[in-house]
Amino acid sequence: MIKVSIQGMPGSFSHIAAEHFFPDLQLICNTDFKSTFASLAQEVADFAVVPIENSTIGSIIENYTWLTNYPFHVIGEVFIKVNFHLAAIKESLLSEITEVYSHAAGLGQIVNFLAEHPNLKIVEYFDTAGAAQMVAETKKRIFAAACSRKAAQINGLKIIKENIHDNPKNFTRFFLLSKTPLKSKQQDSSPGSASQYRTSLQFEISHRSGSLSEFLTLFANQGLSLTKIESRPIPSTDWEYRFYIDVLSNPESMAMKLCLEEAKSKCSHLRVLGQYPIGAQIES
């Protein structure tokens, strides 16, 4: 059975994402992202599934750091529709709840609900599904978890308030990571191929006027569309940054190959994090 490392417990959104790739899997659950990456590096798991960005709160910055620190390859992605529900033990009523537990990222996606209930104490927990498990185990009527429907079901909780997330189109993008790259046979002549694959790149450029513009112009000149750009400070440097971009491209296209070849001369470091099929949008 395929072993997949995630941050979180059964019923977490990472679990839902992992099941999209591997319906029959063995979960390797971790309490933090550091351990999630380490379990893949140590071959405790065959793959890892990690969140990389959310449509409400933005990028999951920590995971960009771990992507840099490990030589893993992005071989897939999926966009999970993140629906948060307030779950408690079956005897609880909404009026009785005084404490809400969830992951910090989850709490950042239910700000309006929390503002409407100022009496609720907000408690950060290591995981949304872990919060559901804790609520079930403590059996306290005053505790509730902001979690997925799957987490509530697994832990025998009752949903006392549905859809408490701020954004009705709230999606989290997850990466599927492997120690080996995806081998694509898709050719440049394939109809619509440019919009069916995505390439994720990491690069560093000289700290001078116009250097970033020159680098990005390479992709525009080849007719390639960028869908994301992210910058992170490089440790031990004076205000220099490492960049991450996503490009719509067929990995076998001549345009992409020429662009990557020319890009090497424009930067001090270039790494292809992965070339993979564009992910589907999935309900949670």
Side-chain angles (χ1 to χ4, degrees), residues 149-167:
R149 188 179 300 277
K150 186 181 186 74
Q153 292 171 342
I154 288 175
N155 291 286
L157 298 180
K158 175 181 68 174
I159 293 177
I160 56 177
K161 182 70 174 178
E162 292 189 325
N163 300 320
I164 61 173
H165 42 281
D166 300 334
N167 183 358

Side-chain angles (χ1 to χ4, degrees), residues 44-86:
V44 175
D46 303 304
F47 301 93
V49 172
V50 297
I52 199 66
E53 63 177 321
N54 173 265
S55 59
T56 299
I57 63 171
S59 297
I60 312 300
I61 298 302
E62 181 182 352
N63 284 337
Y64 277 99
T65 299
W66 296 121
L67 279 175
T68 299
N69 292 349
Y70 285 94
F72 300 153
H73 302 270
V74 183
I75 63 169
E77 68 174 4
V78 64
F79 297 83
I80 300 297
K81 176 72 161 54
V82 177
N83 299 316
F84 275 100
H85 310 290
L86 193 69

Side-chain angles (χ1 to χ4, degrees), residues 21-41:
F21 295 112
F22 307 105
D24 185 20
L25 82 168
Q26 178 182 338
L27 280 181
I28 306 297
C29 296
N30 302 276
T31 58
D32 53 48
F33 292 124
K34 179 181 179 180
S35 301
T36 305
F37 279 78
S39 64
L40 178 57

Side-chain angles (χ1 to χ4, degrees), residues 176-206:
L176 172 63
L177 303 178
S178 172
K179 297 185 78 172
T180 57
L182 181 69
K183 301 296 183 182
S184 173
K185 296 182 179 179
Q186 190 168 8
Q187 300 298 314
D188 189 39
S189 59
S190 299
S193 59
S195 62
Q196 294 173 3
Y197 267 74
R198 200 187 315 270
T199 295
S200 292
L201 301 174
Q202 174 195 93
F203 64 94
E204 297 168 19
I205 52 178
S206 61

